[in-house]
Amino acid sequence: MSTYTATTKTMTAWRQHRYGGADAVAAETVPVPVPRADEVLVRVDAVSINSGDIHLMQGEPRLVRLFLGLRRPRVAGRGMDLAGTVVALGADVTGLRVGDRVVGAHQDTLAEFVAVPQKRLSAIPAEVSTTDAAALPIAGNTALTVLDRCGVGKDSRVLVVGAGGGVGTFTVQLAAALGAEVWATCGARAEETLRRLGAARTFDYRTTDLADLPADHFDVVVDIAGLPPLTLLRGLLRRGGKVALVGGDGGRVLGPVGRILRSLFVGRPGRRFVPITAVTKTPVTERLLAEAASGRLTPVIERTFAFQDASAALAHVEAGRTVGKVLVRGAHAG
């Protein structure tokens, strides 16, 4: 049960006041937010960590600092995904009650309590655990966006490059459920997991050259790694195929933007590049929840950290070798 009462005034939240690594993020005592009329106060029960959290923490690529703060982050709190329990309602909120379990994406979610606009939240079905729900919003939305925009369906041939993380494991699983034949490149530790999720073939990226894969073979190439030459990815496509550009660190200044700009000059008629932006939409999250409730989608959760170890969770993801998702339990989670 939540320790929240109307007299609860302060809480612990993980904040940073300078850009840097996980050691720049520390626990602080801050006021409990008061929900506005259209907001819900949520007791945070689980948070999943995404690569986007790491980019914001580091202030990399430097281009993002134009929007987030040149010298230090304007929003000090970290965390974007959350699942939790409603503990208070704004005056205009309808359809939710205190005690309901909800999931969504916001900002500053590595905290005991978060005030979230109702429109950003979805009710968690009884069949879905709170921890599984927490893994869905950003990574799951990205994966479904890729499949929708690239038209993946039954008998599609799909290659996922860099499939071992959160977006990759969701992409493989959802594409296979649609009836696609999925090949995936990943680290050796992830191969067995990806085959279990439905990948027909997996390749250790350290020992397999993409140039050795069949040319003109795939309807869709999903580039999460962001490293292979664009011309090589284009050559793997059948006519009418698409390369989805999902990730990649790129340079320290422009990050993946430079790669996206180059793709404008590399695409050919019948073989296109499709940049994918990680945007979380409530209807898409609800589709993911329905898939999870039916048993067709099961998040891969590599490790769960205690709330007091949130900085260690960020460091773990920052190291870049996660298979699936990393979660942080809420301070009051059972």
Side-chain angles (χ1 to χ4, degrees), residues 111-171:
E112 293 186 70
F113 302 97
V114 181
V116 186
Q118 182 183 10
K119 65 183 180 181
R120 293 181 177 269
L121 294 171
S122 301
I124 302 174
E127 300 86 352
V128 181
S129 70
T130 300
T131 51
D132 279 357
L136 296 175
I138 291 176
N141 269 253
T142 303
L144 263 184
T145 300
V146 167
L147 301 181
D148 287 348
R149 290 194 61 190
C150 293
V152 172
K154 184 174 174 56
D155 298 327
S156 296
R157 292 180 179 178
V158 179
L159 173 65
V160 184
V161 180
V167 175
T169 51
F170 282 131
T171 301

Side-chain angles (χ1 to χ4, degrees), residues 63-154:
L63 180 65
V64 304
R65 299 190 186 193
L66 294 176
F67 311 98
L68 303 176
L70 290 177
R71 297 185 177 181
R72 62 183 63 86
R74 291 195 188 99
V75 177
R78 291 281 64 83
M80 294 184 283
D81 285 345
L82 84 155
T85 305
V86 175
V87 295
L89 304 171
D92 295 340
V93 173
T94 59
L96 286 176
R97 298 177 299 177
V98 170
D100 285 349
R101 294 187 307 143
V102 291
V103 62
H106 194 41
Q107 62 185 19
D108 199 6
T109 61
L110 280 173
E112 293 186 70
F113 302 97
V114 181
V116 186
Q118 182 183 10
K119 65 183 180 181
R120 293 181 177 269
L121 294 171
S122 301
I124 302 174
E127 300 86 352
V128 181
S129 70
T130 300
T131 51
D132 279 357
L136 296 175
I138 291 176
N141 269 253
T142 303
L144 263 184
T145 300
V146 167
L147 301 181
D148 287 348
R149 290 194 61 190
C150 293
V152 172
K154 184 174 174 56

Side-chain angles (χ1 to χ4, degrees), residues 22-253:
D23 59 349
V25 184
E28 298 181 0
T29 299
V30 299
V32 172
V34 177
R36 297 176 181 174
D38 65 339
E39 291 182 333
V40 174
L41 186 64
V42 178
R43 181 196 71 190
V44 178
D45 296 328
V47 174
S48 69
I49 307 299
N50 297 279
S51 60
D53 294 300
I54 306 306
H55 289 300
L56 294 178
M57 179 179 75
Q58 297 171 338
E60 302 285 351
R62 295 298 177 93
L63 180 65
V64 304
R65 299 190 186 193
L66 294 176
F67 311 98
L68 303 176
L70 290 177
R71 297 185 177 181
R72 62 183 63 86
R74 291 195 188 99
V75 177
R78 291 281 64 83
M80 294 184 283
D81 285 345
L82 84 155
T85 305
V86 175
V87 295
L89 304 171
D92 295 340
V93 173
T94 59
L96 286 176
R97 298 177 299 177
V98 170
D100 285 349
R101 294 187 307 143
V102 291
V103 62
H106 194 41
Q107 62 185 19
D108 199 6
T109 61
L110 280 173
E112 293 186 70
F113 302 97
V114 181
V116 186
Q118 182 183 10
K119 65 183 180 181
R120 293 181 177 269
L121 294 171
S122 301
I124 302 174
E127 300 86 352
V128 181
S129 70
T130 300
T131 51
D132 279 357
L136 296 175
I138 291 176
N141 269 253
T142 303
L144 263 184
T145 300
V146 167
L147 301 181
D148 287 348
R149 290 194 61 190
C150 293
V152 172
K154 184 174 174 56
D155 298 327
S156 296
R157 292 180 179 178
V158 179
L159 173 65
V160 184
V161 180
V167 175
T169 51
F170 282 131
T171 301
V172 168
Q173 198 171 170
L174 290 165
L178 290 169
E181 178 186 317
V182 184
W183 295 15
T185 73
C186 57
R189 289 195 310 122
E191 287 193 79
E192 182 179 349
T193 296
L194 291 169
R195 288 193 292 268
R196 176 173 54 82
L197 296 178
R201 298 185 66 179
T202 61
F203 307 89
D204 182 347
Y205 75 90
R206 296 180 183 87
T207 59
T208 301
D209 189 337
L210 287 180
D212 294 333
L213 299 184
D216 304 319
H217 183 78
F218 298 98
D219 300 293
V220 176
V221 174
V222 184
D223 178 28
I224 300 171
L227 296 173
L230 296 174
T231 52
L232 174 56
L233 297 177
R234 186 191 67 200
L236 296 171
L237 290 177
R238 290 173 165 178
R239 184 166 182 82
K242 298 175 182 177
V243 176
L245 299 176
V246 178
D249 293 332
R252 293 192 64 190
V253 177

